[in-house]
Amino acid sequence: MLVLILCLLAGGCQSPVQHQTGPPVPLRLAYSTQHDCALVHIAVARGFFRDEGLKVEAHSFGYGKEALQAVLEGKADLATVAQTPVAFAALQGQKLSVLASIFTSNNNHAIIADRKSGVLRPGDLKGRRIGFTPGTTTHMFLSSFLIANGMSIEDVVPVPLTPELMRDSLLSGRVDAVCTWSPNERLIARSLAGRDVIFEDPYIYTETFVIAGQTTYVAGNQEAARRLLRALVHAEEFASAHPGEAQAIVASTSKLPPPVLEECWGKSARKVSLDHALLIALEDETRWAGKLGLAREAGMPNYLEYIDPRPLLSVKPEAVEQQVLKSDLRP
């Protein structure tokens, strides 16, 4: 096994900047239009997938939970998705493999209220109708924020909403506040014309966006996974070297005003990696879902079984922490 790891590391030390020859490898990719998927947007715009010999059939979705659902329904091979839908899928018995994280932020969520509703401070949320999107990171952030302020989800009236309905629901008074992610919160705040009250907390929740697919697909398509990750590493390097141009690409593809995207950009990291923090996040969210009765009773999944580090080990070995390696992959 040590020989295997050394071979993988040696392969990763080669420069990833190379154009693949031969027939392109097909890949159906479901990805979010949000800025969480900046590396995907950049890879598409700069032709990095093509350079790696991938023929990507791209399917865009408003948010990651929808993208993952496309994978679960067999309509896509890989998806970009945050850790919360991955945890829920695991609790529902779905067998997934995470290839890498591509985005992290501890300041990508907020609760927004209209001053007209009388909500001015966190305690005013008690008994109020709060919009959120079930099974997503907004669900987890709302719960965490309430707990951090001496309340629980039972102290409010949760109103399930898709992200597209949050702005109009708040403006019409259907809800008193909404819990959403950036940049939606900034766009909603603009609509309130100075009446917005925003509650943020960078210490209670970190969002991680990952690339994931069904385990059977990932196990049988390691070369496609490697090529995808190499393209995303190119995108990571491009974003680091040319931040202005990278932001312009993402603003255009995600249809965001550049000043809004710029606000979000500095509060997040776009790196292709696999670290122990992802395992901790998945376990924390599983305990949270169990405590609130959001999933059928089940033991804690072994999330090491939900991570396939092999493609990233061959592309960017330094980005894989030892803690996410299964015992049979450790030297």
Side-chain angles (χ1 to χ4, degrees):
M1 191 50 63
L2 177 57
V3 174
L4 171 61
I5 293 295
L6 290 175
C7 289
L8 288 170
L9 293 176
C13 291
Q14 297 173 3
S15 172
V17 184
Q18 52 185 323
H19 289 235
Q20 297 291 333
T21 58
V25 176
L27 173 66
R28 298 176 300 166
L29 179 63
Y31 69 98
S32 165
T33 56
Q34 301 293 325
H35 77 107
D36 320 65
C37 288
L39 296 185
V40 174
H41 297 309
I42 293 167
V44 171
R46 298 291 300 181
F48 294 146
F49 290 136
R50 181 190 62 244
D51 292 346
E52 288 300 328
L54 281 176
K55 183 180 180 180
V56 172
E57 179 183 313
H59 301 271
S60 61
F61 293 87
Y63 53 107
K65 183 182 176 182
E66 291 183 321
L68 181 61
Q69 189 60 37
V71 165
L72 297 178
E73 294 175 358
K75 298 175 181 177
D77 302 317
L78 296 173
T80 65
V81 60
Q83 74 266 28
T84 306
V86 172
F88 274 109
L91 286 171
Q92 292 162 5
Q94 300 288 348
K95 298 300 182 183
L96 298 175
S97 290
V98 173
L99 295 173
S101 63
I102 58 173
F103 170 95
T104 55
S105 177
N106 65 348
N107 204 13
N108 200 46
H109 293 75
I111 297 172
I112 311 164
D114 188 335
R115 288 181 182 275
K116 292 197 305 184
S117 69
V119 176
L120 300 176
R121 56 188 60 85
D124 296 334
L125 293 171
K126 190 169 185 177
R128 300 294 187 141
R129 299 159 298 170
I130 305 179
F132 74 110
T133 305
T136 70
T137 53
T138 67
H139 200 166
M140 181 69 176
F141 179 80
L142 173 60
S143 181
S144 299
F145 184 87
L146 292 172
I147 291 171
N149 287 276
M151 295 173 281
S152 73
I153 202 77
E154 296 176 350
D155 291 317
V156 302
V157 181
V159 180
L161 292 173
T162 61
E164 297 82 8
L165 294 177
M166 287 191 174
R167 174 183 171 277
D168 289 344
S169 295
L170 184 59
L171 292 175
S172 67
R174 180 188 171 194
V175 296
D176 302 301
V178 295
C179 181
T180 187
W181 45 67
S182 295
N184 289 6
E185 46 125 336
R186 287 167 172 76
L187 297 175
I188 292 172
R190 287 184 168 195
S191 300
L192 290 170
R195 301 195 313 272
D196 57 291
V197 179
I198 300 178
F199 302 123
E200 298 175 301
D201 191 332
Y203 302 105
I204 61 174
Y205 185 66
T206 298
E207 175 193 345
T208 302
F209 235 68
V210 302
I211 301 285
Q214 297 205 54
T215 297
T216 52
Y217 172 82
V218 172
N221 294 271
Q222 291 281 297
E223 179 59 24
R226 283 190 289 269
R227 294 186 185 201
L228 176 80
L229 293 181
R230 274 197 296 267
L232 294 178
V233 169
H234 293 332
E236 175 190 334
E237 294 167 348
F238 179 84
S240 177
H242 309 282
E245 192 172 346
Q247 288 182 49
I249 289 171
V250 178
S252 175
T253 56
S254 57
K255 297 180 173 58
L256 286 173
V260 171
L261 177 63
E262 187 176 359
E263 287 182 57
C264 306
W265 196 264
K267 297 181 178 181
S268 55
R270 290 150 295 277
K271 294 183 178 180
V272 182
S273 64
L274 276 173
D275 60 29
H276 191 220
L278 175 60
L279 289 174
I280 295 173
L282 288 168
E283 291 174 353
D284 285 347
E285 301 210 6
T286 299
R287 282 188 283 268
W288 160 75
K291 184 177 180 180
L292 294 186
L294 300 175
R296 62 180 176 81
E297 277 193 43
M300 173 69 70
N302 179 2
Y303 281 113
L304 278 175
E305 301 295 331
Y306 285 78
I307 292 177
D308 190 336
R310 292 174 296 173
L312 190 55
L313 274 170
S314 70
V315 171
K316 189 184 177 186
E318 70 277 12
V320 182
E321 289 189 357
Q322 282 287 311
Q323 294 94 327
V324 304
L325 294 176
K326 301 174 187 176
S327 58
D328 61 344
L329 281 178
R330 290 175 180 161

